[in-house]
Amino acid sequence: MYLTVKETAEYLSMPESYIESMIVQNKIRTVYDGEQYLIFKEQFNTHLEQIEKYKKQLADYYSEPIPEDIDVKDED
C-alpha cells in the first residue's frame, strides 16, 4: 500500500516537512508518479517494531527496583 506524504506524516505522527526532508536526503524510499511522491507503507514496519521494543525495554528498566547497596555501613 502506498501513502502520500501527508498520509505518511499522519501514520508516523511526524510533521510533513520532516517527511519531505527525509525524502530529499534519500532516507525514505519513494515513487514519484509525476504529481506527488508515494511512499510504500511497509518499509516502516521494522522501524515501528524497534520503537515499541525500545519503549518496552525502557519501561522494564524504570520499573526494576533499585538494589540495596551492600557498602552502606558507616566506618566512623
Side-chain angles (χ1 to χ4, degrees), residues 8-60:
T8 303
E10 291 173 4
Y11 177 66
L12 297 176
S13 302
M14 295 180 174
E16 286 182 49
S17 59
Y18 181 73
I19 300 299
E20 290 168 352
S21 69
M22 297 297 280
I23 291 170
V24 170
Q25 297 171 18
N26 290 324
K27 294 188 176 185
I28 296 177
R29 292 176 294 180
T30 61
V31 175
Y32 188 69
D33 71 352
E35 295 180 12
Q36 62 186 350
Y37 286 101
L38 298 175
I39 302 160
F40 189 59
K41 182 179 179 180
E42 302 302 317
Q43 70 181 305
F44 301 111
N45 286 348
T46 304
H47 174 70
L48 295 174
E49 289 171 5
Q50 289 174 347
I51 288 175
E52 290 301 318
K53 182 179 176 182
Y54 178 71
K55 284 180 183 179
K56 184 182 180 316
Q57 288 175 343
L58 197 57
D60 291 345

Side-chain angles (χ1 to χ4, degrees), residues 55-70:
K55 284 180 183 179
K56 184 182 180 316
Q57 288 175 343
L58 197 57
D60 291 345
Y61 174 76
Y62 283 127
S63 66
E64 186 175 308
I66 300 173
E68 298 257 347
D69 188 8
I70 57 172

